[in-house]
Amino acid sequence: NLPDVIYFKDRESRFTRINKAHAKVFGLSDPAQAIGKTDFDFFTDEHAQQAFADEQEIIRTGQPILAKEEKETWPDGRETWVSTTKMPLRDATGNILGTFGVSRDVTERKQVEVEMQKAMKAAEEANRAKSEFLANISHELRTPMNAVIGLTELALATGLDSEQRRYLELVESSANSLLALINDILDFSEIDWRKFELESTPFSLAEAVDEALRPLSIQAYRKGLEMAYGVSPRIPSALLGAPVRLKQVLVNLVGNAIKFTKQGEVVVRAGLESQEAKAVGLHFTVADTGVGIPADKLEMIFEAFTQVDGSMTRRFEGSGLGLAICAELVGMMGGRIWVESELGKGSTFHFTVRLGRVEGAACPREEAPRDLLCGLPVLVVDDHAASREIVGEILRHLGMIPTLAESTETALAVIRSAQDSESPFRWALLDAQMPGGDGLSLAEQARRIPGFSPAILMMLPPHDAGREAARCRELGIKDYLTKPVRESELAEAMVRALDKSASAGEGHAQVRGSAQELGRVLRILLTENNEVSQVLVTRLLEKRGHEVVVAVDGVEALAALENTNTVGFDLALLDVQMPRMNGLEVTRAIREKELNTGRHLPILAMTALALGSEEEGCRAAGMDGYIAKPIRANDFFAMIQRVAAQPTGAGAAAESTRRAQGEPHHKPVFDKVRFLDRLGGDEMLGAEVVGMFLEECPKLMKGIRQAFAQQDASALERAAHALKGSLGDMVAFQAFDAARNFEQMAREGNLGNTGAGLAILESAIDRLMTELRRQEMKPA
Ligand code: ADP
């Protein structure tokens, strides 16, 4: 009476006995009717064949088949499923007489499973279709949105009365919010669909953080918030990962922090959590002093389309997608995201990621300015604790000795007492905006302290830097930085300040070794792997009108020298201690090659090891001179003048032929010397002008493209003319020429040719923008 099927078979797989349940499955009224029959009498051949083979195998090997799920196919087309166990049937002495087995019908369970799989597949399909639809529709939406935004921008640039302007500005800002929303949705649907893969490229974390947050800092300061970010110096400077996505997470979190904070500060920190041979684990925090999040909503906000309070949407626009996107991205980067918050006090968002390490990457950031700045005392005055501390960390990392003061009074007291000490401050880094006496008035008061010596650097809020910079200039403060302060900029500004105070005493010697004095521009190959020394030496040389090409090590230097496409060099400056190939080896290689050409490239060694024996080594290797680091401008140029006065090298010869032929290519992309000359040598003003140009130029180009698209010759001529004017002001010869030609073509109504003209102009502008950025002629 067992409901399971039970049977016994002989060695030929003939039934010898079956139970009642089995007879019923076979449609027999009596189990005895099955005796002598085989599976071939009941099932399809296909099924019976398989069963027969299984049983013969059991008889041959004596091995049972346990709980095998089997499909049974019947002549009438039915399919059933059983879970079956088959065993050898033995007599008392162990001889195998046949087989016996038990099967349980699992057809129903199987059917449910199949249904479930079908349902799951359908659900996945539907979800995929939804995401695909979202992705497509978002793309479709973006195209007209770009037109709306672009045309609104253009319309805003025309003559409008104030009412029209106000309306259009509203259109512009609404269109921008709508586009941001569409972008969010697109992103989310793409992540959901797993359409994109994370890239893996080498990048610098400090730079990525800065790029992501600097634009937001303007927004923060404009709102009256303080903002600071610090990247732990323990984090390797070169990492492998998806900087674009990492920046997206930071922008989202910091954007939220600014949005939900009325007063106080937003502080971002990146720390090293773990470190292995091939990977690092990083931990970021974004802390604000804003409205906070109720405890019961702390997890919910990471879900898509959720906000703490639906009614807040009216107050704070947003889609509720930002954090869901962050959570997905962080997950894809092997980390997690969470938040701690206290209502009314603020929130701290945490997230972790795992990133790859770049093997054998040199860390110029870590070595950078040590030799110049190391061990020198500096005063930092800032009322915001987080900013003060982060600046302190940066300075300590640069090897300096910071003293932190939180107010004007403390600062004055500290300055007074340090004045008479063994080591007075070399720099005072002042926050321009402090309650109860700002940095500028502090500077004035400090100046009145007898014997006050530190170089003053002002830290300005980014949204107001222009105006504040003017005030700084009035007070005779030479240099400033915009907040949040960044390591590389701070180091450079400090080195610059040192350089200024050094060259201030030089008097007339300043022009020594300059292009004017020598009567020619020297083309100099500088090989130096220390970033700050690179900048410093390049600046020194460029200030005197020379042209500098930088190589970071010996191998690159040799490559630059061999590159026959470039004109030769008049002088090589070689750092002696370099990775891969040191200065002496490079020199030997150069001299060996020169045996064939009969030329002689003057080579000067630069070394921080001030040992007499070093100099002998340099000379023995074939160098012409030797400059000790830290470099003193006076000696440096005296040396350059001495070597440059020698019979000229092949480079100089090539240079003069090239000049004689008036090769057009030589027109500089941007003549910084003449540009600054026009501005009376005011570098800060220069940076401002360049800043304005960098903003204005893309707009002018847009106007040109627009006019070109509409084939409007007169608009094209006007736009090209305007651009040409700006380029002239910038002393940007190549681009100026391109714009002039383009204007000419437009004037002649020669629109057929302007396509090529436009391409030439675009590439000249590209080169100019790159050059301006490279020369760091952009405001901080
Ligand atoms: P939204 O685009 O609406 O800002 P998010 O997913 O970025 O979407 O955020 C979801 C919700 O989480 C926000 O609407 C807000 O209610 C809450 N939230 C996020 N960040 C903060 C923060 N720093 N302070 C307070 N609330 C926050």
Side-chain angles (χ1 to χ4, degrees):
N1 290 317
L2 268 177
D4 291 348
V5 162
I6 303 174
Y7 67 84
F8 295 81
K9 289 179 180 172
D10 64 15
R11 291 183 65 98
E12 275 73 49
S13 287
R14 280 187 297 255
F15 289 104
T16 54
R17 198 175 170 193
I18 64 172
N19 70 344
K20 273 196 215 154
H22 205 166
K24 197 172 154 211
V25 171
F26 279 167
L28 305 173
S29 53
D30 180 0
Q33 290 170 345
I35 294 171
K37 297 207 160 114
T38 68
D39 282 342
F40 289 93
D41 297 309
F42 302 100
F43 295 102
T44 58
D45 273 6
E46 181 200 355
H47 177 76
Q49 203 79 53
Q50 181 62 47
F52 183 76
D54 284 350
E55 286 149 18
Q56 292 307 309
E57 185 69 8
I58 292 170
I59 292 164
R60 202 174 57 78
T61 61
Q63 294 296 317
I65 292 175
L66 302 170
K68 181 183 173 196
E69 290 207 338
E70 237 173 42
K71 187 160 81 174
E72 298 171 323
T73 47
W74 304 84
D76 61 5
R78 260 183 318 131
E79 285 182 355
T80 51
W81 282 86
V82 288
S83 165
T84 177
T85 291
K86 298 184 176 184
M87 311 228 251
L89 179 67
R90 298 173 193 269
D91 66 10
T93 58
N95 291 325
I96 295 180
L97 302 175
T99 58
F100 72 103
V102 184
S103 304
R104 168 167 300 166
D105 190 287
V106 292
T107 309
E108 222 170 282
R109 199 196 75 207
K110 270 284 175 193
Q111 271 164 357
V112 172
E113 263 176 37
V114 169
E115 286 305 312
M116 241 165 65
Q117 257 166 14
K118 264 198 215 149
M120 247 165 73
K121 222 173 146 211
E124 270 165 20
E125 265 303 307
N127 195 33
R128 208 182 63 86
K130 180 203 76 183
S131 298
E132 201 172 337
F133 169 72
L134 272 176
N136 288 338
I137 194 85
S138 308
H139 271 303
E140 297 299 323
L141 288 169
R142 277 211 288 202
T143 316
M145 280 313 293
N146 282 328
V148 171
I149 290 171
L151 293 174
T152 310
E153 233 174 65
L154 286 177
L156 275 169
T158 61
L160 298 171
D161 66 33
S162 64
E163 196 178 8
Q164 291 167 331
R165 175 166 301 278
R166 200 158 51 81
Y167 291 160
L168 272 181
E169 277 169 357
L170 278 177
V171 170
E172 191 182 33
S173 80
S174 308
N176 278 324
S177 328
L178 183 53
L179 186 63
L181 178 60
I182 293 169
N183 285 339
D184 263 5
I185 294 180
L186 176 65
D187 236 2
F188 188 70
S189 56
E190 274 181 349
I191 294 175
D192 208 29
W193 194 12
R194 304 268 170 218
K195 204 171 85 178
F196 70 76
E197 287 207 343
L198 284 189
E199 55 173 340
S200 181
T201 47
F203 72 102
S204 144
L205 183 67
E207 270 170 35
V209 169
D210 189 65
E211 280 165 21
L213 302 188
R214 190 153 292 272
L216 286 172
S217 69
I218 296 179
Q219 212 177 311
Y221 279 94
R222 201 169 265 151
K223 219 178 150 182
L225 303 176
E226 178 75 13
M227 182 159 160
Y229 40 88
V231 172
S232 160
R234 291 177 52 225
I235 300 176
S237 59
L239 296 170
L240 214 55
V244 176
R245 296 302 175 175
L246 187 64
K247 284 195 263 183
Q248 194 181 353
V249 175
L250 281 168
V251 166
N252 247 313
L253 296 182
V254 174
N256 276 349
I258 295 171
K259 183 158 78 171
F260 293 105
T261 304
K262 256 218 207 90
Q263 56 188 30
E265 58 189 26
V266 174
V267 180
V268 181
R269 283 181 177 278
L272 187 66
E273 195 178 54
S274 62
Q275 192 165 16
E276 292 145 35
K278 290 237 157 87
V280 291
L282 305 183
H283 181 168
F284 291 81
T285 54
V286 177
D288 65 48
T289 53
V291 296
I293 301 163
D296 60 329
K297 302 281 166 76
L298 289 180
E299 278 175 26
M300 189 194 89
I301 53 170
F302 293 104
E303 284 161 25
F305 302 108
T306 47
Q307 297 180 319
V308 166
D309 174 1
S311 68
M312 289 209 303
T313 339
R314 253 159 274 139
R315 208 147 43 97
F316 306 106
E317 50 184 60
S319 60
L321 272 179
L323 290 175
I325 293 175
C326 288
E328 288 278 351
L329 289 175
V330 164
M332 287 164 88
M333 290 189 267
R336 58 191 199 93
I337 186 167
W338 70 100
V339 61
E340 289 162 356
S341 183
E342 204 178 321
L343 217 51
K345 290 254 170 74
S347 316
T348 301
F349 281 82
H350 297 254
F351 70 93
T352 57
V353 290
R354 282 179 62 79
L355 295 170
R357 294 180 66 163
V358 178
E359 267 171 68
C363 308
R365 184 165 85 93
E366 308 211 343
E367 298 309 322
R370 289 262 153 86
D371 40 345
L372 284 163
L373 304 175
C374 199
L376 299 180
V378 47
L379 173 68
V380 179
V381 190
D382 192 332
D383 58 312
H384 281 276
S387 301
R388 198 165 61 229
E389 255 134 47
I390 287 178
V391 172
E393 278 163 28
I394 294 176
L395 293 170
R396 269 189 290 274
H397 182 238
L398 291 170
M400 287 183 266
I401 306 168
T403 301
L404 310 180
E406 78 295 341
S407 70
T408 313
E409 296 87 72
T410 325
L412 286 170
V414 171
I415 293 174
R416 278 201 190 89
S417 72
Q419 230 19 59
D420 316 319
S421 75
E422 293 270 287
S423 55
F425 293 116
R426 297 293 295 272
W427 300 268
L429 205 58
L430 312 180
D431 183 13
Q433 287 187 325
M434 287 187 291
D438 64 13
L440 293 164
S441 63
L442 170 59
E444 268 189 301
Q445 290 176 59
R447 283 257 176 85
R448 286 200 285 272
I449 297 175
F452 177 82
S453 60
I456 297 180
L457 297 175
M458 202 56 77
M459 298 187 283
L460 306 181
H463 65 293
D464 220 11
R467 203 164 52 86
E468 299 273 336
R471 277 178 69 204
C472 286
R473 262 201 306 277
E474 279 162 26
L475 277 172
I477 294 165
K478 284 270 153 30
D479 222 341
Y480 64 85
L481 296 154
T482 47
K483 285 184 127 188
V485 171
R486 168 187 177 182
E487 178 165 328
S488 56
E489 273 170 17
L490 183 55
E492 264 176 44
M494 297 191 121
V495 170
R496 232 176 9 243
L498 275 188
D499 182 34
K500 267 187 196 135
S501 38
S503 56
E506 275 177 25
H508 285 301
Q510 198 132 6
V511 288
R512 186 172 223 174
S514 68
Q516 288 118 306
E517 206 196 39
L518 290 170
R520 64 196 177 107
V521 175
L522 296 180
R523 194 170 139 83
I524 299 170
L525 175 66
L526 168 65
T527 312
E528 166 67 73
N529 74 324
N530 177 310
E531 221 175 68
V532 171
S533 299
Q534 265 172 26
V535 173
L536 180 69
V537 176
T538 308
R539 285 236 170 108
L540 280 175
L541 291 167
E542 284 178 350
K543 248 193 201 163
R544 284 165 173 77
H546 300 298
E547 202 178 317
V548 183
V549 172
V550 177
V552 299
D553 61 25
V555 179
E556 260 192 29
L558 283 182
L561 285 168
E562 297 225 328
N563 185 350
T564 42
N565 289 332
T566 57
V567 190
F569 291 93
D570 302 309
L571 175 66
L573 296 172
L574 274 178
D575 190 3
V576 177
Q577 294 85 26
M578 284 184 300
R580 296 219 279 177
M581 192 176 194
N582 71 34
L584 303 182
E585 291 167 313
V586 178
T587 308
R588 278 187 219 112
I590 295 174
R591 293 295 178 239
E592 215 176 288
K593 291 226 169 71
E594 285 176 348
L595 288 178
N596 301 325
T597 60
R599 292 172 176 165
H600 182 89
L601 173 70
I603 302 176
L604 291 180
M606 296 190 298
T607 172
L609 296 180
L611 300 172
S613 58
E614 182 89 38
E615 185 164 359
E616 275 166 36
C618 292
R619 293 212 181 271
M623 291 179 160
D624 301 274
Y626 172 94
I627 298 161
K629 286 204 267 186
I631 285 169
R632 311 220 344 238
N634 246 346
D635 305 345
F636 182 52
F637 284 103
M639 178 68 85
I640 288 190
Q641 200 166 24
R642 191 169 63 70
V643 249
Q646 288 174 359
T648 53
E655 166 87 356
S656 50
T657 6
R658 194 183 55 181
R659 292 253 167 81
Q661 290 164 350
E663 201 176 313
H665 161 86
H666 190 61
K667 277 194 179 172
V669 173
F670 168 56
D671 192 337
K672 185 171 169 183
V673 178
R674 281 177 68 175
F675 170 69
L676 285 178
D677 231 42
R678 287 186 172 193
L679 301 175
D682 187 342
E683 292 216 20
M684 234 194 297
L685 181 60
E688 272 172 46
V689 173
V690 170
M692 280 168 356
F693 175 77
L694 286 177
E695 253 185 43
E696 187 194 50
C697 183
K699 290 188 193 150
L700 290 169
M701 284 306 290
K702 210 165 159 186
I704 288 184
R705 275 179 227 125
Q706 188 80 26
F708 180 64
Q710 290 164 353
Q711 293 285 297
D712 180 343
S714 69
L716 204 52
E717 188 191 331
R718 272 198 310 278
H721 184 79
L723 179 67
K724 189 188 75 178
S726 301
L727 293 169
D729 288 341
M730 294 303 297
V731 201
F733 287 117
Q734 291 187 7
F736 178 85
D737 284 354
R740 195 185 48 201
N741 292 341
F742 193 74
E743 183 194 1
Q744 181 69 27
M745 285 187 236
R747 186 176 309 126
E748 291 163 6
N750 194 355
L751 287 183
N753 281 336
T754 38
L758 183 58
I760 294 170
L761 181 61
E762 297 255 20
S763 90
I765 293 287
D766 264 351
R767 257 175 297 158
L768 175 61
M769 302 288 258
T770 314
E771 181 65 15
L772 290 175
R773 292 198 186 96
R774 187 186 70 78
Q775 295 217 14
E776 296 186 293
M777 282 301 298
K778 61 167 190 215

